[in-house]
């Protein structure tokens, strides 16, 4: 199990990858962000995107899928998140892109009021297959502290 104490400032994590598909871009856009440049090649061609582009919110959802799988696979003592800071969409994400998600711990704060919990702040970067950053954000995650030895 990975606890709060295991997440030291400066530690870097490769969370994994996500392959963006046209069908998912269209499905997400129809349900949650039905702007023309997320739904139509023709409409997108008339914009600065130049072609069908994923919603920024879809990029967030794909990123969360990668992070959540990593958290489950590595059995982390995570307790959820009160939010994120400084979310920035830097470049468009297109069908056919391969996203890679990485994080770096920048702050580790033990709770004063709840001694069994700590908060980790991480700077996270999502890049495409050309290693070009497409999204950045700072995550705030609550984690259990390591139980004292019996």
């Amino acid at each position: 199990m990975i606890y709060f104490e295991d997440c030291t400032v400066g530690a870097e994590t490769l969370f994994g990858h996500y392959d963006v598909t046209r069908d998912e871009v269209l499905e997400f856009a129809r349900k949650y962000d039905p702007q023309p440049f997320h739904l139509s090649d023709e409409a997108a061609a008339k914009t600065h995107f130049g072609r069908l582009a994923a919603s920024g919110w879809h990029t967030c959802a794909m990123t969360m899928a990668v992070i959540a799988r990593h958290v489950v696979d590595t059995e982390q003592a995570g307790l959820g998140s009160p939010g994120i800071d400084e979310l920035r969409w830097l470049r468009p994400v297109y069908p056919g892109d391969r996203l890679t998600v990485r994080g770096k711990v920048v702050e580790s704060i033990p709770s004063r009021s709840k001694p069994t919990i700590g908060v980790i702040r991480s700077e996270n970067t999502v890049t495409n297959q050309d290693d070009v950053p497409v999204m950045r954000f700072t995550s705030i995650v609550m984690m259990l502290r390591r139980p004292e030895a019996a």
Side-chain angles (χ1 to χ4, degrees), residues 48-61:
H48 66 285
F49 294 117
R51 58 188 170 118
L52 187 72
S55 165
W57 296 112
H58 187 196
T59 302
C60 290

Side-chain angles (χ1 to χ4, degrees), residues 119-136:
V119 173
I120 302 294
R121 290 176 56 88
S122 297
E123 291 179 354
N124 300 280
T125 302
V126 181
T127 57
N128 65 18
Q129 63 282 353
D130 298 318
D131 205 31
V132 173
V134 298
M135 187 173 79
R136 278 202 182 96

Side-chain angles (χ1 to χ4, degrees), residues 67 81 83-85 106 120-124 137-141:
I67 292 171
S81 172
I84 61 170
D85 289 334
V106 294
I120 302 294
R121 290 176 56 88
S122 297
E123 291 179 354
N124 300 280
F137 63 99
T138 300
S139 62
I140 306 162
V141 177

Side-chain angles (χ1 to χ4, degrees), residues 49-122:
F49 294 117
R51 58 188 170 118
L52 187 72
S55 165
W57 296 112
H58 187 196
T59 302
C60 290
M62 292 182 281
T63 299
M64 187 64 213
V66 170
I67 292 171
R69 277 194 292 271
H70 178 82
V71 166
V72 170
D73 290 348
T74 58
E75 297 183 15
Q76 293 188 21
L79 298 171
S81 172
I84 61 170
D85 289 334
E86 304 166 18
L87 171 64
R88 296 289 183 266
W89 294 301
L90 305 169
R91 297 276 187 275
V93 170
Y94 300 107
D97 282 354
R98 180 165 225 228
L99 304 180
T100 299
V101 183
R102 292 180 178 86
K104 180 178 181 180
V105 176
V106 294
E107 192 173 22
S108 176
I109 309 163
S111 173
R112 291 183 197 152
S113 61
K114 297 179 181 172
T116 60
I117 295 175
V119 173
I120 302 294
R121 290 176 56 88
S122 297

